[in-house]
Coordinates of all heavy atoms in Angstrom, one line a residue:
Y1 N -7.4 -2.9 19.9 CA -7.4 -3.5 21.3 C -6.7 -2.5 22.2 O -7.3 -2.2 23.2 CB -6.7 -4.8 21.3 CG -6.6 -5.5 22.6 CD1 -7.6 -6.4 23.0 CD2 -5.5 -5.3 23.5 CE1 -7.5 -7.0 24.2 CE2 -5.5 -5.9 24.7 CZ -6.5 -6.8 25.1 OH -6.4 -7.5 26.3
F2 N -5.5 -2.1 21.9 CA -4.9 -1.1 22.7 C -5.7 0.2 22.9 O -5.9 0.7 24.0 CB -3.5 -0.7 22.2 CG -2.4 -1.6 22.4 CD1 -1.8 -2.4 21.5 CD2 -1.9 -1.8 23.8 CE1 -0.8 -3.2 21.8 CE2 -0.9 -2.7 24.0 CZ -0.4 -3.4 23.1
V3 N -6.2 0.7 21.8 CA -7.0 1.9 21.8 C -8.2 1.8 22.7 O -8.5 2.6 23.5 CB -7.4 2.4 20.4 CG1 -8.5 3.4 20.4 CG2 -6.2 2.9 19.7
E4 N -8.9 0.6 22.7 CA -10.1 0.5 23.5 C -9.7 0.3 24.9 O -10.4 0.9 25.8 CB -10.9 -0.8 23.0 CG -11.6 -0.6 21.6 CD -12.1 -1.8 21.0 OE1 -12.2 -2.8 21.8 OE2 -12.4 -1.7 19.8
K5 N -8.7 -0.5 25.2 CA -8.3 -0.8 26.6 C -7.7 0.4 27.3 O -7.8 0.6 28.5 CB -7.3 -1.9 26.7 CG -7.8 -3.2 26.2 CD -8.9 -3.8 27.1 CE -9.4 -5.2 26.7 NZ -10.5 -5.7 27.4
M6 N -7.2 1.4 26.5 CA -6.6 2.6 27.1 C -7.5 3.8 27.0 O -7.1 4.9 27.3 CB -5.3 2.9 26.3 CG -4.2 1.9 26.5 SD -2.8 2.1 25.4 CE -2.2 3.6 26.1
D7 N -8.8 3.5 26.6 CA -9.8 4.6 26.5 C -9.4 5.7 25.6 O -9.5 6.9 26.0 CB -10.2 5.0 27.9 CG -11.5 5.8 27.9 OD1 -12.4 5.4 27.0 OD2 -11.8 6.5 28.8
L8 N -8.8 5.3 24.4 CA -8.4 6.4 23.4 C -9.3 6.5 22.2 O -8.9 7.1 21.3 CB -7.0 6.0 23.0 CG -5.9 6.1 24.0 CD1 -4.5 5.6 23.5 CD2 -5.7 7.6 24.4
S9 N -10.4 5.8 22.3 CA -11.3 5.7 21.0 C -11.6 7.2 20.5 O -11.9 7.3 19.4 CB -12.6 5.0 21.4 OG -12.3 3.6 21.7
D10 N -11.7 8.2 21.4 CA -12.1 9.5 21.0 C -10.9 10.1 20.2 O -11.2 11.2 19.5 CB -12.4 10.5 22.2 CG -13.7 10.1 22.8 OD1 -14.5 9.3 22.2 OD2 -14.0 10.5 24.0
S11 N -9.7 9.6 20.2 CA -8.6 10.1 19.5 C -8.4 9.4 18.1 O -7.6 10.0 17.3 CB -7.3 9.9 20.3 OG -7.4 10.5 21.5
F12 N -9.1 8.4 17.8 CA -9.0 7.7 16.6 C -10.3 7.6 15.9 O -11.3 7.2 16.4 CB -8.5 6.2 16.9 CG -7.1 6.1 17.2 CD1 -6.7 6.4 18.6 CD2 -6.0 5.9 16.4 CE1 -5.4 6.3 19.0 CE2 -4.7 5.9 16.8 CZ -4.4 6.0 18.2
S13 N -10.3 8.0 14.6 CA -11.5 8.0 13.8 C -11.7 6.6 13.1 O -12.7 6.0 13.2 CB -11.5 9.0 12.7 OG -12.5 9.0 11.9
K14 N -10.5 6.1 12.5 CA -10.5 4.9 11.8 C -9.2 4.1 12.0 O -8.2 4.7 12.0 CB -10.7 5.1 10.3 CG -12.0 5.6 9.8 CD -12.0 5.6 8.3 CE -13.3 6.4 7.9 NZ -13.2 6.5 6.4
I15 N -9.4 2.8 12.2 CA -8.2 1.9 12.2 C -8.6 0.7 11.3 O -9.6 -0.1 11.7 CB -7.9 1.4 13.6 CG1 -7.5 2.6 14.6 CG2 -6.7 0.4 13.5 CD1 -7.4 2.2 16.1
R16 N -8.0 0.7 10.1 CA -8.4 -0.3 9.2 C -7.3 -1.0 8.6 O -6.1 -0.7 8.9 CB -9.3 0.3 8.0 CG -10.5 1.1 8.5 CD -11.7 0.1 8.9 NE -12.9 0.8 9.0 CZ -13.3 1.4 10.2 NH1 -12.5 1.4 11.2 NH2 -14.5 2.0 10.3
S17 N -7.5 -1.9 7.6 CA -6.4 -2.6 6.9 C -6.8 -2.9 5.5 O -8.0 -3.0 5.2 CB -6.0 -3.9 7.6 OG -7.0 -4.8 7.7
A18 N -5.8 -3.1 4.6 CA -5.9 -3.4 3.2 C -4.7 -4.1 2.6 O -3.7 -4.3 3.3 CB -6.2 -2.1 2.4
A19 N -4.9 -4.6 1.5 CA -3.9 -5.3 0.7 C -3.3 -4.5 -0.4 O -4.0 -3.6 -0.9 CB -4.5 -6.6 0.1
T20 N -2.2 -4.9 -0.9 CA -1.6 -4.3 -2.2 C -2.0 -5.3 -3.3 O -2.2 -4.8 -4.4 CB -0.1 -4.2 -2.1 OG1 0.5 -5.5 -1.8 CG2 0.4 -3.2 -1.1
S21 N -2.4 -6.5 -3.0 CA -2.7 -7.5 -4.1 C -4.2 -7.6 -4.1 O -5.0 -7.2 -3.2 CB -2.0 -8.8 -3.9 OG -2.7 -9.6 -2.9
T22 N -4.7 -8.4 -5.1 CA -6.0 -8.6 -5.3 C -6.3 -10.2 -5.0 O -7.5 -10.6 -5.0 CB -6.6 -8.4 -6.7 OG1 -5.8 -9.1 -7.6 CG2 -6.5 -6.9 -7.0
E23 N -5.3 -10.9 -4.6 CA -5.3 -12.3 -4.4 C -6.3 -12.9 -3.4 O -7.0 -13.9 -3.6 CB -3.9 -12.9 -4.0 CG -2.9 -12.8 -5.2 CD -1.5 -13.1 -4.6 OE1 -1.4 -13.9 -3.7 OE2 -0.6 -12.5 -5.2
E24 N -6.5 -12.1 -2.3 CA -7.4 -12.7 -1.2 C -8.6 -11.8 -1.1 O -9.4 -11.9 0.0 CB -6.5 -12.6 0.0 CG -5.4 -13.4 0.1 CD -5.7 -15.0 0.0 OE1 -6.8 -15.3 0.4 OE2 -4.6 -15.7 -0.2
I25 N -9.0 -10.9 -1.9 CA -10.1 -10.0 -1.8 C -11.4 -10.8 -1.4 O -11.7 -11.7 -2.1 CB -10.4 -9.1 -3.0 CG1 -9.2 -8.1 -3.1 CG2 -11.7 -8.4 -3.0 CD1 -9.2 -7.2 -4.3
G26 N -12.0 -10.4 -0.3 CA -13.2 -11.0 0.1 C -13.0 -12.1 1.1 O -14.0 -12.6 1.7
N27 N -11.8 -12.6 1.2 CA -11.5 -13.7 2.2 C -11.4 -13.1 3.6 O -11.1 -12.0 3.9 CB -10.2 -14.4 1.8 CG -10.3 -15.3 0.5 OD1 -11.5 -15.6 0.1 ND2 -9.2 -15.4 -0.1
T28 N -11.7 -14.0 4.5 CA -11.6 -13.7 5.9 C -10.1 -13.8 6.5 O -9.3 -14.2 5.8 CB -12.5 -14.6 6.8 OG1 -12.1 -16.0 6.5 CG2 -14.0 -14.5 6.3
V29 N -10.1 -13.5 7.7 CA -8.8 -13.6 8.4 C -8.3 -15.0 8.4 O -9.1 -15.9 8.6 CB -8.9 -12.9 9.8 CG1 -7.6 -13.3 10.6 CG2 -9.3 -11.5 9.9
Y30 N -7.0 -15.2 8.0 CA -6.4 -16.5 7.9 C -6.5 -17.2 9.3 O -6.3 -16.7 10.4 CB -5.0 -16.3 7.6 CG -4.3 -17.6 7.1 CD1 -4.8 -18.4 6.1 CD2 -3.1 -18.0 7.8 CE1 -4.2 -19.5 5.6 CE2 -2.4 -19.2 7.3 CZ -3.0 -19.9 6.3 OH -2.4 -21.1 5.9
P31 N -6.9 -18.5 9.3 CA -7.2 -19.3 10.6 C -6.2 -19.2 11.7 O -6.6 -18.9 12.9 CB -7.4 -20.7 10.1 CG -8.0 -20.5 8.7 CD -7.2 -19.3 8.1
P32 N -4.9 -19.3 11.4 CA -4.0 -19.1 12.6 C -4.0 -17.7 13.2 O -3.7 -17.5 14.4 CB -2.6 -19.4 12.0 CG -2.9 -20.2 10.8 CD -4.2 -19.7 10.2
I33 N -4.3 -16.7 12.4 CA -4.4 -15.3 12.9 C -5.7 -15.2 13.7 O -5.7 -14.6 14.8 CB -4.4 -14.3 11.8 CG1 -3.1 -14.4 11.0 CG2 -4.7 -12.9 12.3 CD1 -1.8 -14.1 11.7
A34 N -6.7 -15.8 13.2 CA -8.0 -15.8 14.0 C -7.9 -16.5 15.3 O -8.4 -16.0 16.3 CB -9.1 -16.5 13.1
K35 N -7.1 -17.5 15.4 CA -6.8 -18.2 16.7 C -6.2 -17.3 17.6 O -6.5 -17.3 18.8 CB -6.0 -19.4 16.4 CG -5.8 -20.3 17.6 CD -5.0 -21.6 17.1 CE -4.7 -22.5 18.3 NZ -3.9 -23.6 18.0
I36 N -5.2 -16.5 17.2 CA -4.5 -15.6 18.1 C -5.6 -14.5 18.5 O -5.7 -14.1 19.8 CB -3.3 -14.9 17.5 CG1 -2.3 -16.0 17.3 CG2 -2.8 -13.7 18.3 CD1 -1.1 -15.6 16.4
L37 N -6.4 -14.0 17.7 CA -7.3 -12.9 18.0 C -8.4 -13.5 18.9 O -8.9 -12.8 19.8 CB -7.9 -12.3 16.7 CG -6.9 -11.6 15.8 CD1 -7.5 -11.1 14.5 CD2 -6.3 -10.4 16.5
D38 N -8.9 -14.7 18.6 CA -9.8 -15.4 19.5 C -9.3 -15.5 20.9 O -10.0 -15.2 21.9 CB -10.1 -16.8 19.1 CG -11.1 -16.8 17.8 OD1 -11.7 -15.8 17.6 OD2 -11.0 -17.8 17.1
R39 N -7.9 -15.8 21.1 CA -7.4 -15.9 22.4 C -7.5 -14.6 23.2 O -7.6 -14.5 24.4 CB -5.9 -16.4 22.3 CG -5.1 -16.6 23.5 CD -3.8 -17.0 23.3 NE -2.9 -15.9 22.9 CZ -2.0 -16.0 22.0 NH1 -1.7 -17.1 21.4 NH2 -1.3 -14.9 21.6
L40 N -7.3 -13.4 22.4 CA -7.4 -12.1 23.0 C -8.9 -11.7 23.2 O -9.1 -10.5 23.6 CB -6.6 -11.2 22.2 CG -5.2 -11.5 22.1 CD1 -4.5 -10.6 21.1 CD2 -4.5 -11.4 23.5

């Protein structure tokens, strides 16, 4: 969000995320987190 709003996309190749565990593999963003991201 910051990178896009500040027009810095040319400075970043990848912004990603991952887990250390296998517990949630394949699951989507947890609903309360989704609610915050939806608000933005």
Side-chain angles (χ1 to χ4, degrees):
Y1 180 88
F2 278 113
V3 165
E4 289 169 15
K5 296 292 182 189
M6 296 172 65
D7 198 26
L8 293 171
S9 296
D10 290 345
S11 298
F12 290 82
S13 179
K14 290 183 190 174
I15 303 170
R16 303 283 191 278
S17 61
T20 57
S21 78
T22 59
E23 294 171 28
E24 300 288 347
I25 289 179
N27 290 336
T28 58
V29 172
Y30 193 55
I33 301 300
K35 186 176 177 182
I36 292 170
L37 296 174
D38 285 339
R39 183 178 75 217
L40 299 172

